[in-house]
Amino acid sequence: MRVYVPLTLPGLAEAHRTGELGTGPFVAYAVTPALREWYLSDDIEELEYAALNRAALASLRQLAADPDAPRRRVVVAVDVPDGAAMPDPDRGLDPAALGEVRVTGPVPLAKAAAVHADADDAEEDVVAAVAAVPEADEGDDDAQFVVDGAEDHELLWYATQEIPALVGLA
C-alpha cells in the first residue's frame, strides 16, 4: 500500500539521519474507503493525488507546531506492506481524517518511492497558510481561502537520492 507521510524539512533530515520515517505508530495518508467515497472517483491516480494533498495539509499543521522549520511542505511517498497501515475506525467519519491511516511499524526511508516538497516560490503562501490553519480548522472561510492559496502550489517531485540536497546536506 502506498502511503504519504507528512513531514517538515527538519523531519526529513532526521529521517535521512536515522534511515527511518518513524518507529510507529505514526500518521500517514492513503487511499482509504472513506477517501474513495468522499472523492467519488475510481481513478487511482486521482485518489492518490487526493491522499498526497491531505498529507500536504498535515505538513502545514506540523509547520505550525515548529516555528523554526523552513516554510516548505514535505511529503514522503512510501510503500508499506498491506496491513501495516490502517484507518482509525473511531475517526472514519470525521471529515478531518479523510485518508488518514496509522502506520504500525518502523518504515525504512530506503522504501520511499519519492519526496514531494514545495518550491522556494511557495514560501510566502505557505507562511500565510500556516498562520491560517487554526482558524480554517474552526470553519473560518477567509482562513480556508488562505490555506487554499498554499494548495495552489504543486509539490515538486524529488528522487530519494535528492534528499541530502533538499535538507541542506549536499
Side-chain angles (χ1 to χ4, degrees), residues 32-47:
T32 62
L35 185 73
R36 284 180 186 275
E37 186 176 322
W38 171 75
Y39 201 73
L40 298 174
S41 176
D42 289 330
D43 184 328
I44 192 64
E45 288 182 14
E46 287 181 16
L47 291 165

Side-chain angles (χ1 to χ4, degrees), residues 59-165:
S59 178
L60 277 179
R61 289 186 177 94
Q62 290 180 4
L63 288 170
D66 184 357
D68 296 329
R71 294 331 210 192
R72 292 174 67 185
R73 298 169 297 162
V74 176
V75 176
V76 177
V78 62
D79 294 319
V80 298
D82 289 341
M86 302 295 293
D88 182 342
D90 295 331
R91 290 183 43 104
L93 299 176
D94 181 354
L98 285 171
E100 188 178 290
V101 294
R102 292 247 176 241
V103 178
T104 56
V107 177
L109 185 59
K111 296 284 186 185
V115 176
H116 303 271
D118 278 312
D120 290 337
D121 69 350
E123 183 175 358
E124 184 178 324
D125 288 332
V126 171
V127 166
V130 166
V133 162
E135 291 84 14
D137 287 347
E138 292 178 7
D140 184 312
D141 290 337
D142 292 334
Q144 185 61 52
F145 182 77
V146 173
V147 171
D148 291 345
E151 292 176 2
D152 288 343
H153 294 273
E154 294 288 329
L155 296 178
L156 301 179
W157 182 95
Y158 294 90
T160 56
Q161 299 88 328
E162 296 177 277
I163 291 172

